[in-house]
Amino acid sequence: MSDLARFLPLSHRSADDAAAAPSDRRGQIATVVALAASALDGAPFDRRRAFVDEAGLSGDDDGAPLAELAGRIARGRRRSVRELTAVARAYLRLPSDRRPLPFDIAGAVALAASTSAPFARRAAIAGHTVRATDAGWTFGRGPEISASADEIVAFLTGVSDSPPRRSPVS
């Protein structure tokens, strides 16, 4: 069992870094909602409504601006990685001119989704080390496959059908 810890993505961090991987994801969810607020600035209300519904935030929404909703989420009840995954998925479905997910959020969502994604998506990454080309994280074991952090998250959450691929050998 002690050998297993070497392959966990947070196993090489000190105890002080434990705060970097909280079980309460409300701050990260608030960050993604704030990014969505920026991406949807000036968009029709129905597009905002679609994001809130897809993100699973309908119960928290009263029609206020997304930036206000983000603040309420940050101060509200504890949130899970499953909720973060839903918000990240909804964010990645926004127009492509949006900003990328922060790397720590993309990493948390990718790792969580790698264990809960539909079988075909889990099978596509099974037996591989998945590396984000634009972030400092990897997970898994085996031959390396890579893509951008957003592309990995998009594939694992069902937003995209393009899996990470092996890098061409130089």
Side-chain angles (χ1 to χ4, degrees):
M1 186 68 171
S2 62
D3 190 41
L4 175 66
R6 293 185 310 130
F7 301 107
L8 298 175
L10 301 176
S11 64
H12 298 291
R13 296 183 184 217
S14 69
D16 295 335
D17 288 338
S23 61
D24 180 8
R25 302 294 180 159
R26 66 182 147 192
Q28 292 174 320
I29 291 171
T31 297
V32 177
V33 172
L35 287 170
S38 176
L40 292 172
D41 187 34
F45 184 79
D46 61 331
R47 185 63 194 115
R48 177 207 172 281
R49 178 88 239 153
F51 168 78
V52 168
D53 290 344
E54 187 172 345
L57 299 172
S58 299
D60 300 304
D61 187 37
D62 62 0
L66 285 176
E68 188 177 313
L69 177 60
R72 283 200 313 266
I73 289 169
R75 294 183 305 275
R77 66 175 174 79
R78 294 176 60 87
R79 304 285 176 141
S80 69
V81 73
R82 177 177 280 180
E83 292 169 290
L84 175 61
T85 300
V87 173
R89 180 185 320 113
Y91 179 72
L92 290 175
R93 290 187 189 271
L94 295 178
S96 60
D97 59 343
R98 62 175 163 62
R99 294 187 357 211
L101 286 168
F103 297 146
D104 63 323
I105 294 173
V109 171
L111 184 60
S114 72
T115 63
S116 62
F119 177 76
R121 293 180 189 279
R122 290 191 326 260
I125 64 166
H128 293 93
T129 296
V130 179
R131 182 177 66 84
T133 57
D134 55 354
W137 53 260
T138 63
F139 63 88
R141 185 174 182 200
E144 185 176 283
I145 55 176
S146 61
S148 74
D150 278 6
E151 290 169 338
I152 293 168
V153 173
F155 173 71
L156 291 173
T157 60
V159 173
S160 164
D161 289 328
S162 299
R165 305 236 184 248
R166 286 194 178 166
S167 301
V169 178
S170 302

